[in-house]
């Protein structure tokens, strides 16, 4: 049996994580990509260049590597917990949608992304969700920190599997809220204890309307995945009703295979300077 960590080792781990978070924030702020720029157009970073915090041995001057244009996950300003989850899942090199969107998403910007199914967009929003809550030291008492909306039960289930893999070393609670999986009354008992919700639109709105004390007032990140598909199957009014009940101060990541007029209308409603 593994021995439980002592109080001193837990305290040391917490201090190490707080120090890591401070470094990640400084790294992101110092190398923040210009708004509207396309990191994919930049030259890839040289693999032999130092990554992260760099201290000049002669002058002691501290600088940070650029992460806009990074092609590998370890070149991004993300936590060790997320890096371990990515490594466990076999994720090393980024796809085009990840290279393009992650530098902007990690520093808190809204994203309007066009990416076909299978292009890797799931990690383009799962990573920012995990990192935002990690930097905020999100805990059980903080409630719902992120909502990820998917058009179908099957796609929601696939997202949940990716989240479990990449988020394995984080301590967030996550739930899958979809019709037909379990009785909604069972979900109502637990939904307020969850940090990350992956859900279909109808089920989420049902909880918003029916679940006592269902609270999204502290929401940090909203994700709309396969937005064109969500709208195609008749959830426009449902989405509008959901968005109207969420705090305006939040980050929103909207991904769609196509940029239809309906998607553009939704983007205008949901996104701020994407």
């Amino acid at each position: 049996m593994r021995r439980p960590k002592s109080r001193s080792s837990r305290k040391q781990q917490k201090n190490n994580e707080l120090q890591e978070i401070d470094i990640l924030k400084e790294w992101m702020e110092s190398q923040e990509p210009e708004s509207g720029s396309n990191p994919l157009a930049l030259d890839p970073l040289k693999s032999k260049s130092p990554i992260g915090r760099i201290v000049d041995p002669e002058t002691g001057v501290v600088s940070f590597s650029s992460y806009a244009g990074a092609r590998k996950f370890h070149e991004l300003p993300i936590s060790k917990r997320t890096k371990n989850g990515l490594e466990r899942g076999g994720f090393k090199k980024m796809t085009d949608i990840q290279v393009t969107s992650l530098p902007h998403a990690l520093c808190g910007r809204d994203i309007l992304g066009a990416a076909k199914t299978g292009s890797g967009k799931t990690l383009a929003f799962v990573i920012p969700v995990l990192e935002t809550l990690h930097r905020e030291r999100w805990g059980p008492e903080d409630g719902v920190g992120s909502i990820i909306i998917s058009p179908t039960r099957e796609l929601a289930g696939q997202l949940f599997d990716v989240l479990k893999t990449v988020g394995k070393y984080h301590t967030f609670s996550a739930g899958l809220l979809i019709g037909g999986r379990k009785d909604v009354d069972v979900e109502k008992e637990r939904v307020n204890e969850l940090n990350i919700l992956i859900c279909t639109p109808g089920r989420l709105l049902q909880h918003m309307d029916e679940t006592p004390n269902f609270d999204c007032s502290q929401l940090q990140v909203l994700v709309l995945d396969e937005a064109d598909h969500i709208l195609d199957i008749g959830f426009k009014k449902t989405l509008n009703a959901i968005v109207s009940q969420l705090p305006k101060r939040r980050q929103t990541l909207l991904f769609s295979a196509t940029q239809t007029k309906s998607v553009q209308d939704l983007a205008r409603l949901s996104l701020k300077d994407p």
Side-chain angles (χ1 to χ4, degrees):
M1 289 179 62
R2 183 184 296 177
R3 289 184 179 180
K5 290 183 178 179
S6 66
R7 181 178 296 180
S8 60
S9 64
R10 288 196 302 270
K11 185 177 180 181
Q12 182 61 49
Q13 182 182 11
K14 181 179 179 181
N15 289 338
N16 290 343
E17 287 201 340
L18 290 172
Q19 186 177 24
E20 180 195 49
I21 288 170
D22 287 340
I23 291 172
L24 290 175
K25 286 180 177 178
E26 192 176 351
W27 183 3
M28 278 187 292
E29 290 169 5
S30 69
Q31 297 297 323
E32 183 177 292
E34 186 177 341
S35 181
S37 63
N38 181 6
L40 192 61
L42 301 174
D43 290 333
L45 300 178
K46 296 178 181 179
S47 58
K48 293 183 180 179
S49 300
I51 302 298
R53 188 173 185 268
I54 305 161
V55 181
D56 188 299
E58 295 183 1
T59 64
V61 173
V62 176
S63 62
F64 291 87
S65 60
S66 172
Y67 58 91
R71 297 299 198 269
K72 296 179 181 178
F73 289 110
H74 79 273
E75 297 169 340
L76 295 171
I78 56 178
S79 64
K80 190 172 187 299
R81 288 177 183 260
T82 296
K83 285 180 178 177
N84 288 343
L86 288 165
E87 187 175 340
R88 180 174 179 267
F91 302 114
K92 295 181 180 179
K93 292 184 179 179
M94 291 189 276
T95 64
D96 285 355
I97 188 63
Q98 293 159 3
V99 171
T100 305
S101 65
L102 277 170
H104 292 293
L106 286 169
C107 61
R109 292 176 179 149
D110 284 5
I111 299 292
L112 175 57
K116 294 178 181 178
T117 301
S119 58
K121 61 181 170 22
T122 302
L123 288 182
F125 57 77
V126 164
I127 292 172
V129 164
L130 291 171
E131 287 302 293
T132 296
L133 298 186
H134 178 71
R135 291 197 303 268
E136 294 297 323
R137 303 295 294 171
W138 211 259
E141 70 285 350
D142 295 310
V144 179
S146 178
I147 294 175
I148 301 173
I149 301 176
S150 183
T152 67
R153 287 182 288 173
E154 292 74 21
L155 287 171
Q158 292 170 21
L159 296 183
F160 195 64
D161 289 339
V162 174
L163 178 68
K164 286 192 295 184
T165 298
V166 182
K168 178 178 174 59
Y169 301 101
H170 288 279
T171 57
F172 309 123
S173 55
L176 185 60
L177 308 183
I178 53 177
R181 183 168 178 266
K182 61 172 74 170
D183 188 81
V184 70
D185 290 331
V186 177
E187 291 179 354
K188 286 179 180 179
E189 295 175 6
R190 286 207 59 215
V191 68
N192 282 320
E193 301 170 8
L194 300 173
N195 300 141
I196 302 172
L197 304 180
I198 295 182
C199 42
T200 47
R203 192 65 150 198
L204 175 60
L205 188 59
Q206 185 178 2
H207 279 291
M208 285 181 157
D209 291 342
E210 299 177 7
T211 302
N213 304 318
F214 183 60
D215 184 13
C216 300
S217 62
Q218 301 304 310
L219 187 78
Q220 303 293 300
V221 187
L222 170 66
V223 178
L224 301 169
D225 184 34
E226 302 275 4
D228 50 348
H229 191 180
I230 294 174
L231 295 168
D232 286 344
I233 58 180
F235 279 117
K236 183 175 182 178
K237 287 185 178 179
T238 303
L239 276 186
N240 289 346
I242 289 168
V243 170
S244 70
Q245 296 184 56
L246 298 176
K248 288 184 168 51
R249 289 188 60 128
R250 64 171 193 269
Q251 181 181 19
T252 304
L253 311 175
L254 188 157
F255 288 89
S256 175
T258 57
Q259 296 295 336
T260 63
K261 184 180 184 302
S262 295
V263 171
Q264 290 167 357
D265 289 343
L266 178 62
R268 280 193 289 271
L269 173 71
S270 310
L271 297 149
K272 182 180 179 181
D273 190 26

